[in-house]
Amino acid sequence: MTRVADRTDRALIAYVRQELSAPAEAIAGYVEILLDEAGKNDQAQFREDLEKIRLASRSLSTLIASLVDPFSPLRAREKEADEDPEDYRRRLRHDLRTPINAIKGYGEMLREDAADLVDAGGLVTDLDRLLEEASRFLERIDGLVSFSLPQSEGADPAEAGAGLVSARVADRFVASVQPIAEGEADDAAQLPSRILVVDDNASNRDLLKRRLERQGHAVTLAENGARALALVREAPFDLILLDLLMPDVSGFDVLSALKSDASLRDIPVIVISALNEIDSIVRCVEAGAEDYLAKPFDPVLLRARIGSSLEKKRLRDREREALEALRIEKERSEKLLLNILPAPTVERLKGGETVIADHLDDVTILFADFVGFTELSSTLPAARLVDILSRVFSAFDALALKFGVEKIKTIGDAYMAACGLFGKREDHAHAVADMAVEMIETLGRLNAELPATLQIRIGVNSGDVVAGVIGAHKFIYDIWGDTVNVASRLEANSLPGRIHVSKSTCERLGGAFVLEPRGSLEVKGKGRMETCFLIGRAPPPA
C-alpha cells in the first residue's frame, strides 16, 4: 500500500470510529442505566427485553471494533481484489442494521409499555434517548458503509470520494495535514532549551542526550531520582524527561517532590516509561506531569511533545513576567496614592466609594509654621530653599509615622497633622503632644546642618471635625471645622519654639505632660480663650 493510501486508510478508520463508536457507546451506556434502574425499581417485566437490547448493543460494538481494526478478517475481505465492492457494502449495511434494528424494535416496545406506568418518567426519558441514538446511528450507516480507498496517489479527490461520505472526509484529511518528513525527529529546535534527562539506564540516557543535542538543546544527565532533585536545586531547567522505574527514589517520587516545591513546580515534566498501564498514566498526570510517553518512544512523537511542552512553558513564563510587572506597577501606584491619601481612605476608594465625608467626634489637630521663613526664602536660591523644607518636613513625616499621627498636608512652609481620624484612639491628644515636643527637638538638631537657624511655632486643639476627599483630579484628603480653625489660630498666636495648646487639649493630656498656663487670650472668631503652653513630658513618678 502506498504511503498516501495508508494515511487515507488510517484516516477512514479514525472517522468510522468517531462516527459509529460514539452513538454505539451511548446506546450501551443507556442500556446499562435502564437495567440498573429497572433493578432498583423492581421492574422485572422489562428485564428480558433490556437484556436483548444489551446483547444487540454488544454485537454492534464488536462489529464496529472489527471495522476499525486494519487486521481484522472483515477489513481483509474488503481489500480482496476479487470481491465485488457492492456485495461487500450490501453485506456490511446488513450487518450494521441487524443489531441496531433489534435495539430500536425492543426499545420502542419498551417505550410503549413504560408509557402506561405511573411514575415512569425517568424510564421513558432514558428510552427516548436510547432511541434517538439508535436513529442517529441508522442515519450514518449509508454514508459510512462505503469503506473504500482512493485508487491511486494521483486520484482526483472529488472522484475518489464521489458519493461516499467517509472517503471524502478521509481524502480532505490527507490533503490538509502535511505528513511528517523523514529525519524530522532530529531537526534543530527553533529555541534551544536546558533539558534534564533522568534515567537509571545509561544507554537510554546516552540515546536521549545525543538526540536532544542534535536538536540544539543543552542536556544534563541524572542517573537516579536523588541526583535529579539535587541538580534542579542547583541550576534552572526548562524541561525534565523523567523515567518512572528507578531504584531508590522513583520517578513518581521525584515528580511529587518537584510539584510540592513552589520554586520547582513550574518546570514541565515528561514521563517516559515502559509502564503503559492507564493507572500509571493517570497518576502521573494527576501528580502534575506535563505529558506521558511509553517506551520504546517514537522519536518524532518525542520531539513533538518536547516542543509542545517547551512552548507552553515559554507562554507561562511570559504570563508570569507580565503579572509580576503588573504587580510592581500596582504597588508603585498604591505607594503614590498613599503619599497623598491616608491608607484607610485609599481602601475605601478601592472598595468603590466615590464620596468620602465623615463627621469625627474627637480628634486632635496640629499646625506648625516657621518663624521668619518668608524673609529667609528671599535670601536663598529656590533649590536650596526646597531642599531645606524637604529635609525638615521629611523629619516631621518620620515623627508622624513614629507616633501614629496622620500628616494631612503642607501649606507653603506650614505643616498640618491630626490624630484620631481612623478608628477609636483614646490617646490622640497624647500622640500629637509627643510629636509636637519631638518636632521642636528635631528642628533644634537639624539647625546645626542648615544655613540659618529655623524656629517653628505650634498650635494644638482637640474636638470634632469633618473629614473627606475633595476633587476628582489631584484630589486631597482634608479636614474642616471649628476645631481646625482654632488650632490654626493657636499656632498663629504661639511663640517661636513654643507649643500653644487649647484648654480642651490640656484636659485630655492630664498629668502626662508639663503645661504652663498662658491665661486668657483673644482668639480671632472665638473671643477670649484660656490656653497654655506645652513644655514637655512630665517626669516619671518618683
Side-chain angles (χ1 to χ4, degrees):
M1 183 181 292
T2 67
R3 190 172 184 188
V4 171
D6 181 55
R7 293 185 71 223
T8 305
D9 190 49
R10 285 187 275 117
L12 279 167
I13 290 172
Y15 186 69
V16 169
R17 182 185 293 119
Q18 172 182 293
E19 291 296 297
L20 295 187
S21 296
E25 290 172 2
I27 290 169
Y30 282 123
V31 172
E32 295 302 328
I33 291 173
L34 286 164
L35 278 166
D36 187 52
E37 290 298 317
K40 290 180 180 176
N41 298 325
D42 295 327
Q43 295 166 333
Q45 70 273 28
F46 298 138
R47 188 161 191 86
E48 184 177 352
D49 285 345
L50 287 172
E51 289 290 357
K52 291 175 181 175
I53 294 176
R54 177 156 67 177
L55 186 62
S57 171
R58 289 174 176 171
S59 173
L60 185 64
S61 297
T62 302
L63 179 57
I64 294 171
S66 67
L67 280 174
V68 299
D69 181 0
F71 305 106
S72 71
L74 185 62
R75 292 296 309 283
R77 284 205 310 273
E78 177 212 0
K79 296 171 185 174
E80 289 174 356
D82 57 352
E83 181 160 354
D84 184 344
E86 282 306 318
D87 287 344
Y88 169 74
R89 291 167 187 163
R90 195 178 299 112
R91 186 173 62 255
L92 183 57
R93 187 180 291 108
H94 170 269
D95 291 347
L96 286 169
R97 281 183 170 175
T98 298
I100 204 67
N101 284 335
I103 291 169
K104 279 183 67 69
Y106 285 114
E108 288 167 353
M109 286 193 295
L110 281 172
R111 172 70 173 77
E112 292 172 3
D113 295 341
D116 297 330
L117 293 179
V118 179
D119 299 330
L123 178 63
V124 171
T125 300
D126 287 336
L127 283 168
D128 285 342
R129 290 170 178 163
L130 182 145
L131 291 171
E132 287 172 9
E133 294 296 339
S135 298
R136 187 173 295 117
F137 192 98
L138 270 176
E139 291 171 1
R140 294 177 179 177
I141 288 178
D142 287 338
L144 291 162
V145 294
S146 304
F147 203 69
S148 60
L149 304 176
Q151 296 303 308
S152 68
E153 295 185 26
D156 181 355
E159 181 181 345
L164 309 176
V165 176
S166 55
R168 286 203 302 272
V169 171
D171 195 71
R172 283 198 297 273
F173 166 79
V174 173
S176 61
V177 180
Q178 294 301 313
I180 299 169
E182 291 184 5
E184 190 171 331
D186 290 332
D187 281 356
Q190 292 183 347
L191 295 172
S193 302
R194 295 152 298 183
I195 299 178
L196 175 63
V197 173
V198 189
D199 198 313
D200 64 324
N201 185 291
S203 298
N204 289 342
R205 292 197 302 272
D206 182 63
L207 178 63
L208 278 169
K209 182 174 187 291
R210 292 176 62 181
R211 191 174 294 283
L212 294 171
E213 286 181 341
R214 281 186 184 181
Q215 297 168 11
H217 298 297
V219 181
T220 302
L221 301 179
E223 66 279 10
N224 55 52
R227 177 61 178 156
L229 289 173
L231 285 171
V232 294
R233 292 189 171 95
E234 293 172 2
F237 289 95
D238 297 311
L239 176 67
I240 298 174
L241 300 182
L242 179 64
D243 186 21
L244 208 55
L245 292 176
M246 293 186 293
D248 61 29
V249 183
S250 73
F252 191 82
D253 291 335
V254 173
L255 182 62
S256 300
L258 290 171
K259 298 306 171 184
S260 62
D261 189 326
S263 63
L264 304 175
R265 67 174 53 141
D266 291 331
I267 305 174
V269 177
I270 296 178
V271 175
I272 303 178
S273 174
L275 286 176
N276 200 22
E277 293 81 7
I278 188 66
D279 291 348
S280 301
I281 298 173
V282 170
R283 293 308 174 203
C284 287
V285 171
E286 287 179 342
E290 186 85 13
D291 213 332
Y292 193 104
L293 203 59
K295 289 180 181 176
F297 58 83
D298 183 298
V300 177
L301 185 58
L302 175 65
R303 179 181 179 280
R305 297 277 178 84
I306 288 175
S308 173
S309 296
L310 290 173
E311 180 59 23
K312 284 188 280 188
K313 180 181 184 296
R314 292 186 190 103
L315 290 174
R316 287 195 294 267
D317 289 346
R318 283 203 288 271
E319 182 183 12
R320 194 178 303 108
E321 290 168 1
L323 288 173
E324 178 62 14
L326 189 63
R327 185 190 65 78
I328 293 173
E329 188 60 32
K330 183 182 177 185
E331 285 185 356
R332 185 180 295 129
S333 299
E334 289 193 354
K335 191 174 181 181
L336 287 172
L337 199 57
L338 289 171
N339 281 336
I340 59 175
L341 294 175
T345 303
V346 171
E347 290 302 317
R348 290 171 66 180
L349 288 172
K350 287 164 61 179
E353 287 190 58
T354 55
V355 178
I356 294 180
D358 301 315
H359 181 276
L360 304 168
D361 293 335
D362 194 18
V363 301
T364 296
I365 311 298
L366 175 149
F367 274 95
D369 199 3
F370 289 100
V371 179
F373 194 80
T374 302
E375 292 76 10
L376 177 65
S377 63
S378 63
T379 63
L380 293 174
R384 185 64 173 141
L385 188 67
V386 171
D387 177 64
I388 292 171
L389 280 177
S390 178
R391 291 180 62 184
V392 176
F393 284 165
S394 295
F396 291 172
D397 290 346
L399 293 176
L401 286 174
K402 176 181 177 181
F403 294 106
V405 174
E406 197 72 40
K407 172 189 175 183
I408 303 301
K409 59 184 175 182
T410 59
I411 313 158
D413 60 332
Y415 190 94
M416 180 183 180
C419 188
L421 298 169
F422 308 105
K424 191 68 175 176
R425 182 163 180 180
E426 302 291 346
D427 66 337
H428 52 85
H430 291 72
V432 170
D434 277 327
M435 178 176 173
V437 169
E438 292 207 13
M439 286 171 74
I440 300 289
E441 296 172 354
T442 299
L443 184 60
R445 290 194 295 273
L446 286 174
N447 274 333
E449 307 168 5
L450 298 176
T453 299
L454 296 178
Q455 287 187 308
I456 55 172
R457 56 176 184 251
I458 296 176
V460 177
N461 185 31
S462 302
D464 299 348
V465 298
V466 172
V469 176
I470 298 297
H473 302 287
K474 297 183 180 179
F475 41 71
I476 184 173
Y477 180 86
D478 211 343
I479 51 179
W480 308 271
D482 188 61
T483 301
V484 178
N485 295 335
V486 170
S488 177
R489 300 283 188 273
L490 292 175
E491 176 272 315
N493 287 281
S494 184
L495 298 174
R498 306 299 295 272
I499 304 168
H500 197 191
V501 183
S502 69
K503 184 178 179 182
S504 62
T505 301
C506 290
E507 291 171 349
R508 289 169 173 79
L509 293 178
F513 292 84
V514 177
L515 299 167
E516 176 184 292
R518 191 181 186 187
S520 178
L521 182 71
E522 181 69 24
V523 176
K524 182 180 178 181
K526 295 297 293 182
R528 300 201 70 79
M529 292 181 63
E530 292 292 329
T531 65
C532 59
F533 285 122
L534 171 61
I535 305 303
R537 300 182 182 89

